[in-house]
Amino acid sequence: MEKKVLILWLLTILFWGVSPVIEKIGLRSVEPLLALFIRTSAALLAISLTLFLSPSISLSSLNFKNVGILSLSGILAGFLGMLTYFSLLKAKNASQIVPLTSTYPLVATLLAVLFLKEELNFYKILGTTFVVVGIYLLFKS
């Protein structure tokens, strides 16, 4: 694995690992929809500043189709997925909810094989099996 990919991977798991703990604390006295609004507003501000300060971003690659597809993704994952996740996180333990909701790669893999015609090989099947076993063990705890 090249060094840049390794660093980005480690930063990603660090950011995503710390975030649920912070969110669980923030959700103690705040309703999920309001918490999501605050979180998303802060993210929008950070993204906007980064976008406007980045000289390499070109808006010329945007078209109606791209904007529509990315908007749909934002509504599904960024709004509806996060709202249901925050509702779960407020109601249950972060140590159970985070791993259980992190099983979305099962859905993504299935849809990628069906609609994007991606290859389904031994390693994907084995990995999927491990995820299913992990889900089972979490439900037993």
Side-chain angles (χ1 to χ4, degrees):
M1 184 180 303
E2 63 184 87
K3 187 176 180 179
K4 180 181 177 181
V5 171
L6 177 64
I7 291 169
L8 289 173
W9 173 62
L10 292 173
L11 287 172
T12 300
I13 62 174
L14 175 67
F15 296 149
W16 284 352
V18 169
S19 186
V21 175
I22 295 168
E23 291 162 350
K24 181 71 176 174
I25 293 167
L27 284 164
R28 285 183 181 156
S29 61
V30 178
E31 289 303 311
L33 186 58
L34 180 58
L36 181 57
F37 175 78
I38 293 166
R39 179 188 190 270
T40 304
S41 297
L44 177 62
L45 179 62
I47 292 167
S48 298
L49 287 172
T50 305
L51 181 68
F52 292 122
L53 296 175
S54 177
S56 64
I57 301 297
S58 171
L59 300 179
S60 64
S61 63
L62 290 179
N63 60 41
F64 185 74
K65 182 180 178 183
N66 293 343
V67 171
I69 290 170
L70 294 171
S71 296
L72 179 60
S73 171
I75 291 168
L76 290 174
F79 172 59
L80 296 173
M82 287 304 301
L83 181 59
T84 55
Y85 168 72
F86 270 26
S87 297
L88 283 167
L89 197 56
K90 185 170 179 75
K92 292 288 190 181
N93 294 328
S95 61
Q96 286 180 310
I97 295 305
V98 172
L100 291 175
T101 57
S102 296
T103 57
Y104 68 88
L106 292 173
V107 175
T109 299
L110 177 64
L111 294 175
V113 168
L114 291 174
F115 295 107
L116 301 177
K117 307 298 182 209
E118 290 187 7
E119 177 187 349
L120 183 61
N121 58 36
F122 172 75
Y123 294 109
K124 286 183 185 176
I125 293 169
L126 186 62
T128 301
T129 303
F130 286 147
V131 171
V132 170
V133 170
I135 293 168
Y136 174 76
L137 292 174
L138 283 170
F139 274 117
K140 296 296 275 182
S141 67

